[in-house]
Amino acid sequence: KYTFTHIQFDFEYYPASLIYAYESFLKKVKNRFPNLHISIALFPQISFNKKYSAFHNFKILAPVTDSIVLMCYDLHKPGTIAGPVTSISWAKKNILYTLKYFEPKQVWLGIPAYGYKWKNKSRRASVVSSRKIAYYMTRNICRRHVSQTIQCSYIYKRNRYIMYVSDNVTRKALKKLAKNYSLKGTA
């Protein structure tokens, strides 16, 4: 019905047992629409929860896709301990792993424009936008973390809060990393 030239699939949080069904699905789409550019979003494979990343088996998926978005974010997120949403060194390790299976021109580096805030060492976290982090930075409760994200911590009404948020400096560093490895770009 439509004449799309490019399609992006973003299937997340599926069990590894479904990888061959995903591969079969992608093959069927490619066979039915041979001129369609197929792109898929993939979780990082290094230091990412294997329960989720195993479904994105690069070896199996590389032959059946034209390009990918390597989602180098949610290193820490709701359900994990407090920590950076991304890290330049972590992204670099994942890029190097990815380039074993994909050509640089096939890879878009997915980068975050947000972060998370945890309360009292809970594993529950809420999203904090990059725009909101400017407010916290003016209050002198933040510093640049080794990950290159902004880390802020403070106490409010006897509760301790900690957040890690990607900002312009983080995104510039990730864009530079993508350029250094000749990736297609960032997303």
Side-chain angles (χ1 to χ4, degrees):
K1 183 176 178 181
Y2 301 100
T3 57
F4 297 122
T5 58
H6 186 122
I7 191 164
Q8 167 84 29
F9 293 110
D10 186 357
F11 294 108
E12 300 178 23
Y13 302 106
Y14 285 97
S17 61
L18 293 178
I19 183 60
Y20 293 107
Y22 190 27
E23 175 194 34
S24 176
F25 167 75
L26 293 170
K27 283 180 179 178
K28 285 178 184 177
V29 171
K30 195 60 160 174
N31 286 336
R32 175 76 169 86
F33 305 99
N35 295 323
L36 183 67
H37 181 99
I38 297 175
S39 180
I40 59 176
L42 295 177
F43 282 139
Q45 300 296 298
I46 307 295
S47 301
F48 199 81
N49 188 329
K50 292 296 178 203
K51 178 180 177 183
Y52 306 122
S53 66
F55 174 71
H56 293 159
N57 184 311
F58 289 23
K59 184 177 182 179
I60 293 169
L61 296 173
V64 294
T65 188
D66 299 307
S67 65
I68 68 161
V69 173
L70 177 61
M71 298 183 282
C72 278
Y73 42 83
D74 281 357
L75 174 60
H76 293 89
K77 62 182 184 155
T80 71
I81 60 170
V85 67
T86 191
S87 157
I88 305 306
S89 63
W90 174 69
K92 180 179 178 179
K93 289 175 190 174
N94 277 287
I95 289 168
L96 291 171
Y97 179 86
T98 300
L99 294 178
K100 293 178 184 178
Y101 299 95
F102 298 94
E103 294 296 319
K105 66 183 178 190
Q106 292 179 282
V107 181
W108 292 87
L109 181 61
I111 60 176
Y114 64 94
Y116 296 105
K117 176 170 64 172
W118 289 263
K119 178 180 172 182
N120 296 332
K121 297 186 180 182
S122 168
R123 288 183 177 255
R124 295 173 62 182
S126 57
V127 174
V128 178
S129 72
S130 290
R131 291 179 190 189
K132 184 73 173 173
I133 199 63
Y135 164 78
Y136 291 102
M137 290 179 72
T138 63
R139 301 183 66 166
N140 297 318
I141 56 173
C142 304
R143 67 177 181 87
R144 178 77 46 199
H145 186 262
V146 67
S147 65
Q148 293 305 308
T149 60
I150 295 292
Q151 178 192 37
C152 305
S153 59
Y154 62 95
I155 296 174
Y156 179 71
K157 293 186 179 180
R158 296 187 178 185
N159 291 301
R160 185 172 191 274
Y161 295 89
I162 188 164
M163 67 182 86
Y164 295 83
V165 181
S166 170
D167 68 346
N168 285 335
V169 172
T170 315
R171 288 188 297 282
K172 283 179 185 176
L174 288 167
K175 286 178 183 182
K176 182 178 178 183
L177 193 60
K179 186 177 180 179
N180 289 347
Y181 284 97
S182 302
L183 303 185
K184 183 80 172 173
T186 58

